[in-house]
Amino acid sequence: MTPLGFPEKNIVGGLQYNGAITDKVSYSLAIARRAVTDSLLSYAGARDSGSGLEWGGVTSNGGLASLAWDDGTNGLYVNAAYQHYMGYHVASNNAYKGGGGVYTRVYKDADQTLTVGVNTTLMTYNRNLSYFTYGQGGYFSPQQYMILNLPVEWTGRNGQFTYDVKGSIGVQHYRQDASDYFPLDGTLQTNAAAEAKTLGSGLDSGAQYPGQSKTGVSYSLSAVGEYQLAPQLAFGATASLGNAYEYREWLAAVYLRYSFSKQTGLQPFPPTPVSSPYLSLSN
């Protein structure tokens, strides 16, 4: 479940099955209920002390399917997902997402691999609930979103040390519809619209957040390193930065990994860092 002490708490979890059709073709099927961690409102919920209203704590509920082909040098993949978004006193929403990409390993030996490719992600939400007034969800929910990336990945090992460095550059475009201040409460919405019209209070026309459309550069960079300290103990560190929509995100973490069985021989790469169990299904 989401952390104890949040104003709104939710049970979360998921199931995933990975399978293979041939030695080159694999697939994955998943269903999940995940916390939406875009903002304090969507993740934890909020309470307005003046009115006593409480809302937030949004979850995404749905399924994801993916299909991939890889011959050891080249590969391609596609995926599709449906998610229903719901929260306490938050308007419900539906999202449809898809994407795919191709890649090639331009250099590969026993200890390192350099991979380049191109990928895209498409998604659409029924409603724009990106804002924070009562009934809004506080999560990015565009009516149209497209991104085209050129990713590069270098991964390998040097003795007991394994590493994975990734970067991408691309272009992203999104469009958001106008959205009512209070999508669940007709009385609050009517009063806000009347105030905006008659009092000239500086509220947006019709008490709606205006729609917008933007195109810009997307980028990301991440690095993971892990060192096998002992046959059953490894130390790792990870850092990343990137952008999406109006957000800039930085992440840094260190971790210890303990294995119940001894890890001997050559270390496999790339390393898999310890990550949060609260990530969304699309991640």
Side-chain angles (χ1 to χ4, degrees):
M1 64 184 303
T2 52
L4 299 176
F6 278 2
E8 309 300 333
K9 295 174 285 293
N10 291 293
I11 296 174
V12 293
L15 294 171
Q16 180 169 317
Y17 178 80
N18 299 320
I21 300 174
T22 70
D23 59 343
K24 297 180 181 179
V25 179
S26 61
Y27 66 92
S28 177
L29 301 172
I31 56 173
R33 174 182 172 90
R34 301 296 189 197
V36 178
T37 60
D38 287 21
S39 68
L40 176 68
L41 175 63
S42 70
Y43 192 16
R47 181 178 187 273
D48 177 57
S49 58
S51 64
L53 296 174
E54 297 183 7
W55 72 105
V58 181
T59 60
S60 64
N61 308 265
L64 172 70
S66 62
L67 181 67
W69 173 85
D70 192 310
D71 67 358
T73 300
N74 305 298
L76 60 87
Y77 58 92
V78 293
N79 56 67
Y82 164 78
Q83 293 168 305
H84 177 70
Y85 288 74
M86 55 194 297
Y88 182 69
H89 289 171
V90 173
S92 61
N93 211 351
N94 294 303
Y96 306 88
K97 304 177 181 181
V102 296
Y103 56 88
T104 183
R105 298 174 179 90
V106 296
Y107 179 80
K108 179 181 180 182
D109 64 19
D111 295 314
Q112 57 186 333
T113 302
L114 177 63
T115 305
V116 299
V118 58
N119 61 42
T120 185
T121 298
L122 310 171
M123 62 182 177
T124 179
Y125 289 75
N126 287 351
R127 308 177 71 171
N128 177 17
L129 298 174
S130 304
Y131 303 99
F132 303 96
T133 42
Y134 182 67
Q136 290 279 341
Y139 60 92
F140 183 44
S141 44
Q143 281 53 72
Q144 184 183 74
Y145 180 84
M146 299 175 287
I147 186 170
L148 181 67
N149 274 324
L150 301 174
V152 178
E153 180 178 15
W154 179 38
T155 183
R157 66 184 163 213
N158 186 354
Q160 299 301 104
F161 178 69
T162 58
Y163 56 87
D164 187 10
V165 180
K166 300 177 183 178
S168 71
I169 188 74
V171 60
Q172 60 182 343
H173 167 80
Y174 71 88
R175 176 183 59 81
Q176 292 176 302
D177 291 344
S179 182
D180 289 345
Y181 281 7
F182 305 105
L184 281 184
D185 193 307
T187 300
L188 286 176
Q189 180 63 27
T190 299
N191 291 343
E195 183 176 350
K197 182 177 181 180
T198 61
L199 301 182
S201 61
L203 297 176
D204 294 313
S205 176
Q208 286 188 322
Y209 300 103
Q212 58 179 330
S213 178
K214 292 185 179 181
T215 300
V217 174
S218 67
Y219 61 85
S220 68
L221 179 65
S222 67
V224 180
E226 187 171 298
Y227 188 82
Q228 194 73 26
L229 297 170
Q232 293 175 259
L233 184 66
F235 170 80
T238 179
S240 67
L241 62 90
N243 73 321
Y245 176 44
E246 296 177 343
Y247 299 97
R248 304 293 182 270
E249 182 177 76
W250 295 265
L251 170 75
V254 296
Y255 61 90
L256 288 174
R257 184 196 309 279
Y258 178 82
S259 303
F260 289 98
S261 59
K262 292 183 178 180
Q263 308 299 304
T264 58
L266 294 174
Q267 296 301 312
F269 65 90
T272 304
V274 177
S275 61
S276 167
Y278 300 111
L279 296 177
S280 67
L281 179 62
S282 61
N283 292 336

